[in-house]
């Protein structure tokens, strides 16, 4: 993990915790954790954060990627389908370990149950939720 706040080994842990718990970034991490596959597309992240601009969602996802907390995964070319996303976002193993170490994953199951109760999802979001996703290996 590398970020402007350092790496877990050499970083000021307090600053790294502050970095991931910044309101928008923590909301995005929560969205990833609550997603049924743990692999939301950018569109899904944007729809789950309607009070934040699409550009801001993208910027914060990039910061989490740069920090090594989140990674972008893509479907292989032969599995991509027109009209469906092919880029998805998930926690890295290091990111999950860091969040777990600092007790920031305690609500993961609750977040997943809350996600299941969202009833006003746009049709496109439901379609994207059911899109093919990369293997989690």
């Amino acid at each position: 993990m590398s970020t402007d706040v350092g790496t877990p080994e050499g970083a000021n842990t307090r600053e790294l915790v502050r970095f991931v718990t910044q309101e928008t970034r923590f909301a995005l991490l929560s969205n990833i954790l609550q997603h049924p596959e743990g692999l939301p597309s950018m569109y899904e992240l944007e729809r789950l954060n309607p009070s934040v601009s699409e550009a801001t969602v993208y910027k914060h996802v990039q910061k989490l990627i740069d920090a090594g907390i989140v990674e972008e995964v893509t479907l292989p070319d032969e599995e991509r389908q027109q009209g469906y996303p092919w880029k998805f976002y998930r926690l890295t193993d290091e990111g999950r370990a860091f969040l777990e170490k600092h007790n920031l994953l305690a609500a993961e199951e609750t977040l997943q149950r809350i996600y299941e109760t969202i009833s006003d999802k746009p049709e496109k979001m439901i379609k994207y939720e059911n899109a093919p996703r990369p293997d989690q290996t």
Side-chain angles (χ1 to χ4, degrees), residues 108-123:
E108 185 172 9
E109 288 181 28
T110 303
L111 290 168
Q112 291 169 351
R113 285 194 302 272
I114 291 169
Y115 188 90
E116 292 170 3
T117 68
I118 300 171
S119 60
D120 59 345
K121 296 177 193 170
E123 188 175 320

Side-chain angles (χ1 to χ4, degrees), residues 5-60:
V5 294
T7 62
E9 299 79 31
N12 177 328
T13 301
R14 185 179 316 153
E15 297 222 1
L16 194 52
V17 169
R18 190 174 312 142
F19 172 81
V20 299
T21 59
Q22 181 276 341
E23 184 178 356
T24 302
R25 288 189 286 269
F26 197 66
L28 292 167
L29 290 171
S30 295
N31 298 149
I32 292 169
L33 290 169
Q34 73 183 157
H35 190 271
E37 302 295 326
L39 281 168
S41 64
M42 185 62 69
Y43 174 82
E44 290 167 289
L45 292 172
E46 292 165 354
R47 295 293 74 76
L48 290 167
N49 294 281
S51 64
V52 180
S53 74
E54 292 176 7
T56 298
V57 169
Y58 179 81
K59 177 181 82 171
H60 283 285

